[in-house]
Amino acid sequence: MQGTSDARQTMESQDELHGGVVRQRGNVMGKNIQEQNNGSNETTPEPNKELSPTSSKGSSVVLILLLLMVGITWGIAATAYFGVVDYKVLVGIKETEKVVTERGEPPVMSQDNQPSKEGETTNENMKTADKDERDNTLKQTEGKVKVKDTAQDPTKSKNSTPKKTKKPTTKTTDGTVPKKKKNPPDPLTSEKDIPILKQLREAEKLLKSKQAAKAKAAYQKLVSSNPESPMARFGKAESLFQQAEQERSNKLLQECIQAYNEVAELATCPPALKKKALLTKAERQTFLGHLRAALLTKTQLARDFPNDEKVLNQLGVAYLMIGQNDKAKQVFETVLDIHPGDGFALVHLGFIIKIKGDWMKSIEYLLPGVTSLEEGTQEGKFYFHLGDALYRTNRTKEADEIYKLGAERGLFRSKFQRSLYNVERLQSRPFWTPQQAKVVDYVKKLEKNWKTIRDEALKMMDVKKGLFVNEDENLRNTGEWRQFTLYQRGKKDAACSRVPKTCSILEQMPNAVGCTRGQVKYSIMMPGTHIWPHTGPTNCRLRMHLGLVIPTTGDGVRLRCADDIRTWEEGKVLIFDDSFEHEVWQQADTFRLILIVDVWHPDITKREKRTLTPI
Ligand code: LMR
Ligand code: MN
């Protein structure tokens, strides 16, 4: 499992890749946001203006980003961060139906949302995903994406307030002015709304000017007097959401979910509004971490709109988010049967196939999906997995092109630095000195005690002890690579008791053992091993390697990071940033043993150390 941290990124990143995608298409609001950002031209988006990784373009994503940016914590946001940003499914995060408490919650998700331990998982991906690398694929959004908070502005919603264009008056051939044609009815409006259109407009003004409580009261009044008006109920739901955001209240969010449901249940509800209400409801449910409930909502939608690709794509995403990848696969296949070439379905299907390990086949979907430039396809995770699939099938030049393109489009920090969970402002370089990394003391401690650290590991190397476990992140091209984890995500593993001296040395390094975005582990690699080029999940850590047993026979052992190749020395620490592409060759005659110690990037603040979601 070495691969873990990186692995996850590698292909795993694949998983990671799940990130933001989630809400794209079906998400009406998200769509609007993207349209605004892209100048509302879906077919020819300007790459630079595209939403970055989070592409999610969902209003919740916008909200989450805003919260992250301003450092506000909201229980919902914390939950949503995971729920929305990645496909839990793929990443092995357990669903929770628990509602996060209101206000004042630490920005950490509830335990229930943490990736579950082996055995508790319910799907194949979860079982195989390495805990460290697991989220890797998720798209990182921190600091990277700047999205305008327009999601809540109903004026920006094409569907809610379609613009009426004034047609020039034409005269008939006999010179008379033709009878005024009636405007086509707004597909979102019902007959039951007509008598109160004026009042609805008044209430909408309140909503637009962010007077959520007043808007809610106005809509509530309309609901009481006109209980069959779908628009009144929809407005009430929208104002509840706005108020929930303003007050950071999960309780209001739940009321809002109920209100959307009431819209959809009205016999008088026009189909277009029903679709919009239920898609929005599902989005809010996802935001709350109620993934199964969101799936139910989307299942219901798919029954009503069985040929609607947006609805089906959203259903596929819902399955992905709870780890039912096979079901998701079927749904995306159905979309492609009905709408061949649908970009969103292509990238998602390609993603599923890729993480199952069929590189060749995944390219058939990922490549046309990514090049379609359709909404929801411009995600780092898709570029990441496509590049990886191309590389592993010997199409290395094309892989390079895809990575370059991903970097140009703002999905990666550079063609080499492809981590997806990034804090944008951090300085970066492939290899670091202890001074640059601000770990001079740590390096001294490790180098002074290297023999103790080595000897404890050597005693534990017996395979029967079961401490060194195989890398299972699919990072190995050839050979054998095992690791023994002591800390991960800032938590000490019980196995520390097997190497007590080493762990007590490590305990003196809070920026290492407390690094919630890293691990500490022994890594042993056998001769004949080649590790595919891969990328770690985050730029928030640096990776120290303490050489313990370093063979120099044969062609030796080498580590490439970006375009710099180095090797290890016994008793010496090597520091690199594993968010850059790296690759390892073990071509010596005997095993190589190192201790990997991740440490917070020196530019990471105290607050970030506390609040960044663990990886
Ligand atoms: C990595 O961190 O990906 C590798 O360099 C680890 C190792 O054991 O060489
Ligand atoms: Mn790695």
Side-chain angles (χ1 to χ4, degrees):
M1 330 250 248
Q2 141 89 48
T4 31
S5 359
D6 335 328
R8 132 203 264 28
Q9 178 101 70
T10 315
M11 9 221 18
E12 309 138 288
S13 338
Q14 347 182 24
D15 310 337
E16 125 325 74
L17 309 214
H18 348 319
V21 186
V22 184
R23 355 159 121 269
Q24 26 308 20
R25 257 172 178 291
N27 176 349
V28 178
M29 287 180 136
K31 185 165 195 281
N32 293 330
I33 292 168
Q34 178 162 50
E35 281 164 357
Q36 287 164 34
N37 279 273
N38 288 342
S40 52
N41 185 343
E42 271 193 72
T43 53
T44 56
E46 291 180 48
N48 294 340
K49 288 193 184 160
E50 283 177 18
L51 288 187
S52 72
T54 344
S55 64
S56 356
K57 355 149 163 198
S59 59
S60 333
V61 171
V62 175
L63 169 63
I64 293 160
L65 291 172
L66 286 175
L67 290 171
L68 288 171
M69 279 189 251
V70 295
I72 297 171
T73 304
W74 180 18
I76 296 172
T79 309
Y81 180 70
F82 263 117
V84 174
V85 178
D86 32 358
Y87 295 142
K88 297 191 180 187
V89 184
L90 301 174
V91 204
I93 294 174
K94 207 169 122 192
E95 174 188 2
T96 176
E97 291 291 339
K98 252 194 210 161
V99 180
V100 188
T101 56
E102 296 183 34
R103 291 166 182 257
E105 282 281 326
V108 180
M109 318 176 12
S110 71
Q111 283 299 49
D112 301 34
N113 262 356
Q114 301 290 346
S116 40
K117 287 246 160 65
E118 260 182 12
E120 293 173 25
T121 55
T122 54
N123 73 80
E124 328 154 12
N125 289 321
M126 291 163 82
K127 278 178 199 141
T128 53
D130 178 294
K131 294 185 227 49
D132 303 317
E133 315 287 349
R134 206 177 265 156
D135 311 298
N136 194 352
T137 21
L138 311 187
K139 159 151 287 136
Q140 187 48 345
T141 59
E142 291 150 21
K144 193 159 191 171
V145 187
K146 287 190 187 94
V147 186
K148 268 180 129 188
D149 183 16
T150 47
Q152 299 314 307
D153 184 346
T155 58
K156 302 289 177 355
S157 165
K158 200 165 72 183
N159 291 334
S160 62
T161 53
K163 272 193 194 143
K164 284 175 190 154
T165 46
K166 228 185 174 183
K167 280 201 180 150
T169 318
T170 48
K171 288 192 176 168
T172 55
T173 41
D174 63 2
T176 57
V177 177
K179 263 194 182 173
K180 218 180 169 188
K181 265 194 200 159
K182 266 193 187 169
N183 278 330
D186 175 353
L188 296 173
T189 308
S190 131
E191 272 177 17
K192 300 286 178 187
D193 301 322
I194 308 268
I196 53 165
L197 279 181
K198 198 168 155 242
Q199 294 95 311
L200 285 168
R201 236 170 268 136
E202 291 302 314
E204 197 184 5
K205 272 189 206 152
L206 295 169
L207 196 59
K208 278 187 208 165
S209 57
K210 307 270 181 208
Q211 301 185 64
K214 281 191 183 163
K216 187 180 80 177
Y219 280 119
Q220 179 56 56
K221 210 171 147 204
L222 289 174
V223 169
S224 306
S225 57
N226 296 66
E228 292 195 318
S229 159
M231 266 304 178
R233 287 187 192 269
F234 188 78
K236 183 184 158 190
E238 296 278 89
S239 52
L240 273 165
F241 180 65
Q242 196 176 84
Q243 200 184 4
E245 277 187 303
Q246 288 172 359
E247 299 182 16
R248 303 196 166 78
S249 162
N250 289 359
K251 188 172 161 275
L252 284 171
L253 195 54
Q254 288 198 300
E255 278 179 44
C256 139
I257 287 168
Q258 178 54 29
Y260 284 116
N261 204 45
E262 286 167 12
V263 178
E265 279 178 351
L266 275 184
T268 49
C269 185
L273 186 66
K274 182 173 189 182
K275 184 170 127 185
K276 184 173 178 176
L278 289 179
L279 281 173
T280 317
K281 176 188 166 195
E283 186 184 348
R284 310 289 180 243
Q285 289 171 314
T286 304
F287 186 74
L288 265 180
H290 299 181
L291 302 183
R292 279 181 196 277
L295 173 62
L296 277 180
T297 304
K298 291 178 182 178
T299 307
Q300 181 193 342
L301 257 172
R303 269 199 298 267
D304 292 344
F305 301 90
N307 294 319
D308 186 309
E309 79 272 24
K310 286 184 188 176
V311 167
L312 292 177
N313 278 332
Q314 279 302 304
L315 179 62
V317 167
Y319 277 123
L320 277 177
M321 290 194 73
I322 58 160
Q324 296 198 24
N325 293 16
D326 289 342
K327 283 258 174 61
K329 186 166 178 270
Q330 284 172 19
V331 174
F332 292 123
E333 282 165 352
T334 304
V335 175
L336 291 174
D337 283 345
I338 306 173
H339 305 275
D342 181 275
F344 188 91
L346 283 170
V347 288
H348 283 78
L349 191 50
F351 178 82
I352 294 168
I353 294 168
K354 166 66 164 54
I355 61 174
K356 267 201 150 184
D358 193 342
W359 309 327
M360 203 88 91
K361 188 153 184 235
S362 75
I363 298 170
E364 291 170 27
Y365 296 90
L366 285 170
L367 192 53
V370 157
T371 48
S372 76
L373 295 180
E374 280 176 30
E375 187 176 354
T377 61
Q378 300 306 293
E379 298 280 343
K381 62 175 164 286
F382 301 127
Y383 282 73
F384 186 105
H385 284 284
L386 173 56
D388 194 51
L390 287 166
Y391 190 92
R392 294 184 185 208
T393 50
N394 287 320
R395 296 166 66 175
T396 51
K397 275 203 181 127
E398 288 165 90
D400 198 52
E401 288 304 315
I402 286 294
Y403 292 146
K404 276 190 199 147
L405 203 57
E408 274 165 27
R409 293 183 174 171
L411 304 174
F412 303 133
R413 284 167 62 87
S414 72
K415 79 167 194 165
F416 278 135
Q417 197 180 15
R418 301 192 298 272
S419 49
L420 296 173
Y421 296 89
N422 301 316
V423 169
E424 206 54 26
R425 66 165 201 288
L426 307 185
Q427 53 176 319
S428 49
R429 61 173 75 83
F431 284 97
W432 292 63
T433 65
Q435 288 78 11
Q436 287 167 336
K438 301 210 172 97
V439 288
V440 173
D441 290 353
Y442 289 11
V443 168
K444 271 192 196 143
K445 254 184 206 116
L446 290 168
E447 293 187 345
K448 187 170 152 228
N449 293 290
W450 77 276
K451 285 188 177 161
T452 308
I453 295 169
R454 175 197 63 190
D455 294 346
E456 280 197 325
L458 290 176
K459 275 191 213 143
M460 294 299 135
M461 265 174 48
D462 186 346
V463 176
K464 283 188 220 125
K465 290 202 164 77
L467 293 172
F468 279 84
V469 290
N470 257 318
E471 181 271 334
D472 62 358
E473 299 303 313
N474 200 10
L475 288 179
R476 246 174 322 159
N477 177 14
T478 57
E480 189 179 354
W481 180 22
R482 291 173 176 264
Q483 67 184 16
F484 169 19
T485 301
L486 305 179
Y487 296 83
Q488 56 187 337
R489 292 200 176 100
K491 293 207 175 110
K492 189 176 183 167
D493 196 286
C496 254
S497 62
R498 313 296 293 272
V499 287
K501 289 180 203 156
T502 299
C503 283
S504 77
I505 295 162
L506 290 164
E507 285 297 325
Q508 300 164 38
M509 307 178 188
N511 278 328
V513 298
C515 178
T516 58
R517 292 199 155 188
Q519 310 102 46
V520 179
K521 57 201 176 187
Y522 286 109
S523 170
I524 184 165
M525 207 175 274
M526 304 315 258
T529 302
H530 171 233
I531 307 304
W532 288 116
H534 63 283
T535 307
T538 176
N539 75 337
C540 297
R541 69 184 188 213
L542 296 176
R543 180 154 276 198
M544 301 192 281
H545 278 182
L546 173 64
L548 298 174
V549 179
I550 309 298
T552 51
T553 51
D555 282 339
V557 289
R558 278 162 296 145
L559 165 71
R560 173 181 69 82
C561 185
D563 41 23
D564 194 349
I565 298 180
R566 304 201 182 175
T567 189
W568 299 267
E569 266 181 70
E570 290 183 356
K572 294 279 174 243
V573 168
L574 185 74
I575 307 169
F576 72 106
D577 180 345
D578 78 326
S579 64
F580 284 82
E581 177 184 291
H582 53 286
E583 179 174 12
V584 183
W585 298 266
Q586 203 317 12
Q587 293 168 330
D589 298 333
T590 51
F591 72 86
R592 182 225 63 176
L593 178 68
I594 59 173
L595 178 72
I596 298 176
V597 182
D598 290 336
V599 63
W600 282 117
H601 187 291
D603 298 343
I604 287 283
T605 65
K606 272 188 193 159
R607 184 186 166 82
E608 284 165 340
K609 289 176 193 173
R610 274 186 287 119
T611 57
L612 284 168
T613 31
I615 293 177

